[in-house]
């Protein structure tokens, strides 16, 4: 009898874009489909974990057996993650979180002005959810993602160190965004390891195996 790789583990995952309000009918978002995060949630569940998926707006259905918490903005995502992080063994931050939110968002719909001048938006930084969870004193084992458009190697290893996470998964944004397949590169303290191109669900299963292999063994009760 082979126990499942993540049996008894609680895995918290973020996925999808965030949606930042401009006014009641307009938002700023990005082109993340959520496919990678949802595939990882499914793979972690298949590996026996209890999975909580904090998801920005996507067109996807929650994978079987996964508890999904729906959020819109980065601030909402931050609150949902911080409420679950302390009880989780692993945090996998796949969401494409907006770096900034609109500081002067309006409670009523912005109107066209008689003089034709467009409104000006002001921005303020969103919380860095991954860096905050990684800094928790006895927080979960953290995995970050980095979608870069160039110089993946250099940027991803620097990002791993800056975020303070043991594992960072890199991919080329132009290759992975919205696609059904992907090519992941794992960055850890020993260097980088390229994984073969694969359908996102296959890539997710391989990634879950790599995560399970690296997790610290749990102290016996
Ligand atoms: O460099 P960047 O901040 O985009 O790093 C990407 C990683 O950080 C991803 O794992 C993403 O989910 C996470 N992130 C976050 N909160 C932010 C920005 C990024 O958790 N505000």
């Amino acid at each position: 009898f082979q126990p499942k790789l993540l049996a008894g583990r609680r895995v918290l995952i973020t996925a999808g874009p965030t949606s930042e309000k401009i006014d009641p009918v307009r938002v700023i978002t990005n082109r993340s489909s959520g496919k990678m995060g949802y595939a990882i949630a499914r793979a972690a569940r298949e590996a026996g974990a209890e999975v909580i998926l904090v998801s920005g707006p996507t067109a996807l259905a929650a994978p079987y057996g996964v508890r999904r918490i729906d959020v819109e903005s980065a601030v909402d995502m931050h609150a949902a993650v911080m409420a679950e992080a302390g009880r989780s063994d692993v945090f996998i931050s796949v969401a494409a979180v907006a770096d900034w939110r609109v500081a002067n968002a309006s409670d009523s719909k912005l109107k066209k002005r008689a003089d034709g001048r467009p409104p000006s938006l002001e921005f303020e930084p969103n919380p860095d959810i991954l860096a905050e969870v990684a800094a928790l004193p006895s927080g979960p084992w953290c995995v970050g993602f980095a979608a870069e458009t160039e110089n993946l190697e250099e940027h991803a290893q620097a990002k791993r160190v800056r975020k303070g996470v043991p594992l960072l998964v890199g991919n080329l944004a132009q290759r992975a965004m919205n696609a059904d397949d992907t090519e992941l590169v794992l960055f850890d303290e020993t260097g980088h390891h390229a994984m073969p191109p694969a359908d996102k669900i296959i890539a997710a299963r391989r990634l879950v195996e790599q995560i399970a292999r690296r997790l610290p063994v749990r102290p016996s009760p």
Side-chain angles (χ1 to χ4, degrees):
F1 171 74
Q2 275 265 326
K4 289 190 173 183
L5 281 174
L6 290 178
R9 304 279 195 170
R10 197 167 188 276
V11 177
L12 177 63
I13 300 171
T14 62
T18 64
S19 170
E20 308 296 329
K21 177 183 160 182
I22 297 172
D23 72 14
V25 297
R26 301 181 178 97
V27 298
I28 294 177
T29 186
N30 61 64
R31 297 174 66 190
S32 165
S33 65
K35 283 177 190 163
M36 193 68 230
Y38 276 58
I40 294 168
R42 177 175 157 190
R45 173 72 198 147
E46 288 171 357
E50 176 192 350
V51 181
I52 297 103
L53 177 62
V54 178
S55 176
T58 72
L60 305 172
Y64 178 76
V66 166
R67 179 156 73 89
R68 184 172 74 180
I69 302 172
D70 290 315
V71 297
E72 302 229 323
S73 67
V75 166
D76 299 342
M77 184 174 276
H78 175 256
V81 166
M82 296 319 285
E84 297 288 342
R87 281 178 285 150
S88 302
D89 300 298
V90 182
F91 175 51
I92 312 175
S93 183
V94 198
V97 184
D99 292 316
W100 305 282
R101 64 176 172 272
V102 181
N104 58 343
S106 170
D107 287 331
S108 53
K109 187 182 167 191
L110 297 175
K111 295 287 176 206
K112 278 179 209 151
R113 283 194 275 225
D115 62 8
R117 269 201 316 129
S120 59
L121 299 179
E122 285 159 28
F123 291 90
E124 58 190 342
N126 272 325
D128 188 324
I129 304 170
L130 175 59
E132 225 177 282
V133 174
L136 289 173
S138 47
W141 200 83
C142 291
V143 182
F145 264 73
E148 303 287 350
T149 51
E150 63 250 346
N151 293 339
L152 178 64
E153 239 111 281
E154 189 187 318
H155 287 146
Q157 195 56 274
K159 190 168 286 187
R160 186 186 74 79
V161 173
R162 196 168 64 240
K163 299 259 179 180
V165 299
L167 182 64
L168 189 120
V169 184
N171 58 28
L172 282 174
Q174 59 273 43
R175 172 92 170 70
M177 274 253 168
N178 252 304
D180 286 324
D181 62 343
T182 189
E183 220 174 313
L184 305 179
V185 187
L186 306 190
F187 295 83
D188 63 16
E189 77 289 349
T190 69
H192 68 270
H193 319 271
M195 296 174 76
D199 183 88
K200 282 181 178 170
I201 183 65
I202 308 287
R205 289 188 185 124
R206 291 189 184 130
L207 175 61
V208 161
E209 259 175 58
Q210 290 293 326
I211 292 170
R213 191 182 295 174
R214 285 154 209 258
L215 277 187
V217 264
R218 276 215 290 213
S220 33

